[in-house]
Amino acid sequence: MKEDTDSKKWFNVEYVPKDYIFPKEERPENLDTPVCDSIPVIDLSKSKSVETILMASRELGFFQVINHGIPEKIVTDAMSVLKEFFDMPSKDRTGIVPHKKGYIYTNSTDYAKDGVHLWRENIKHPCHPLEECIHLWPEKPTRYQEVIGAYLKEIQKLSSRILEMICEGLGLEPGYLEDTSEVSLLSSNLYPPCPDPSLTLGILPHQDPSLITLLYQGNSTGLQVMKDSQWINVGDFPNAFVVNIGNQLEIISNGKLRSIKHRVVTSTHETRISIATFVNPSPDCIIEPAKVLVNELEPSRYTASQYKEYVKSSKAYGDYTVAIQNALHS
């Protein structure tokens, strides 16, 4: 498949190319499954939001939040500047290997498994500490750094608020999670229309290696979660953020909260842009069940480990983490 140009993108095809077709056992089925109405949409302005967040985190590991306090303009500006980025010619989206630049952009070279490509374009970059990372982000569009920087400041406030509510729900002391967490990675995906979504995937089934992940998906669908051994579509709710529990918070909660599998499927007619921000523990932080949640009746279910060692052993972000660390310290 040829590199895209200003006039023709790699995904402007009538048929799905062979190297984008997944084996039959990995292809999405039942793409017309109903939107999951059991994923709560939680109004953060309501007094009982702590209880509903904890219940959703226990039962499904996913929920959406509204009345979250992030100005709508901040979000629409972020989505707009990312669309501008993905619309640029490939020569202006360099950064496939982050040497001097602290970001990775992948187009049709994004292998998922056994040489099969994902049907997406993606940009990843670090976010913490913001003042040290921001100059490593794309310089085009010219307003990218300013707009995404403003977006991430709001995400930091919202994620801290949600983590504090989870602490309260679990019975942990105030600040237990906030003091060791950081919004450390942004990953934005463009999922173009696909001639046959039953053959492709936007993202493989996975669990997040984070504490929590905050996702803005705009007015689009495609995110699916595994519920009762079935893939269920997560609906798009106006001006809402999808929040999911990551592996690290499942460990800290001693299994009380759930990190579950999710994936992204494609569409024949819809272009989807999403912004995922990963709230991770500090690299040197020891991740283990909170002591107040461990007792004789509920012994520890997980072995303590340093977060950076977890990332290395699980290859949670592939070679990206190592490359970014090198870029930040070069």
Side-chain angles (χ1 to χ4, degrees):
M1 192 176 273
K2 295 182 179 180
E3 182 73 11
D4 64 303
T5 65
D6 291 340
S7 61
K8 184 176 177 63
K9 295 287 189 178
W10 63 268
F11 48 81
N12 286 341
V13 292
E14 295 182 5
Y15 303 97
V16 177
K18 183 179 179 180
D19 52 354
Y20 286 77
I21 298 176
F22 280 85
K24 287 185 178 181
E25 64 274 12
E26 296 181 17
R27 296 176 195 171
E29 298 179 354
N30 302 321
L31 290 174
D32 295 327
T33 54
V35 170
C36 180
D37 57 7
S38 63
I39 296 178
V41 178
I42 300 172
D43 187 339
L44 293 186
S45 68
K46 303 295 184 181
S47 60
K48 294 185 178 181
S49 52
V50 171
E51 290 86 347
T52 51
I53 282 177
L54 198 70
M55 184 180 298
S57 300
R58 286 178 184 272
E59 295 179 358
L60 188 62
F62 268 79
F63 54 92
Q64 298 195 60
V65 294
I66 58 172
N67 289 328
H68 40 66
I70 298 183
E72 189 172 353
K73 187 178 186 304
I74 294 285
V75 180
T76 55
D77 282 353
M79 292 290 279
S80 175
V81 81
L82 283 162
K83 183 179 185 301
E84 290 177 39
F85 175 85
F86 288 121
D87 282 345
M88 291 191 307
S90 283
K91 63 183 178 65
D92 292 328
R93 289 176 287 178
T94 56
I96 293 176
V97 178
H99 294 301
K100 294 183 179 179
K101 289 296 179 185
Y103 68 93
I104 292 178
Y105 159 72
T106 52
N107 185 343
S108 59
T109 59
D110 193 6
Y111 287 112
K113 185 178 179 183
D114 299 329
V116 180
H117 297 293
L118 292 171
W119 195 269
R120 70 165 185 175
E121 297 187 13
N122 172 265
I123 178 172
K124 290 185 180 74
H125 58 65
C127 309
H128 182 85
L130 187 59
E131 61 276 8
E132 294 181 21
C133 297
I134 195 167
H135 71 283
L136 298 170
W137 301 348
E139 297 174 356
K140 296 181 181 180
T142 54
R143 65 193 187 106
Y144 184 98
Q145 296 179 3
E146 177 185 357
V147 168
I148 298 301
Y151 176 82
L152 287 168
K153 287 178 181 178
E154 295 294 331
I155 289 293
Q156 179 64 68
K157 289 188 286 186
L158 177 58
S159 65
S160 296
R161 182 180 176 190
I162 292 172
L163 286 175
E164 196 62 24
M165 295 170 82
I166 290 174
C167 277
E168 181 181 341
L170 287 173
L172 303 179
E173 62 187 65
Y176 184 93
L177 295 173
E178 183 180 3
D179 293 345
T180 57
S181 66
E182 53 196 44
V183 179
S184 56
L185 180 68
L186 176 144
S187 179
S188 178
N189 292 296
L190 167 75
Y191 305 100
C194 176
D196 189 348
S198 69
L199 301 176
T200 65
L201 280 170
I203 294 182
L204 288 169
H206 68 285
Q207 295 169 294
D208 288 351
S210 57
L211 286 165
I212 57 172
T213 303
L214 279 70
L215 174 75
Y216 187 80
Q217 57 180 354
N219 297 317
S220 64
T221 57
L223 175 64
Q224 295 186 332
V225 302
M226 179 68 76
K227 183 177 185 291
D228 300 327
S229 301
Q230 298 291 327
W231 287 108
I232 302 296
N233 293 316
V234 177
D236 58 320
F237 201 89
N239 199 29
F241 281 88
V242 179
V243 182
N244 68 275
I245 303 300
N247 293 345
Q248 307 311 305
L249 194 48
E250 180 176 308
I251 294 170
I252 291 170
S253 72
N254 202 27
K256 287 181 169 57
L257 308 185
R258 298 182 62 194
S259 173
I260 68 168
K261 283 187 177 181
H262 49 287
R263 69 180 184 183
V264 175
V265 297
T266 60
S267 167
T268 55
H269 60 278
E270 185 177 65
T271 298
R272 170 184 165 89
I273 294 180
S274 65
I275 316 175
T277 42
F278 296 87
V279 183
N280 297 326
S282 305
D284 295 328
C285 184
I286 301 298
I287 302 299
E288 60 184 340
K291 290 181 173 54
V292 298
L293 301 178
V294 176
N295 53 53
E296 290 184 3
L297 295 178
E298 297 182 87
S300 176
R301 297 172 57 184
Y302 304 90
T303 303
S305 65
Q306 198 172 38
Y307 180 65
K308 64 183 177 183
E309 295 302 321
Y310 167 87
V311 172
K312 289 179 183 178
S313 63
S314 67
K315 296 185 178 180
Y317 299 119
D319 296 327
Y320 174 74
T321 301
V322 175
I324 288 299
Q325 288 175 345
N326 291 340
L328 287 172
H329 294 94
S330 62

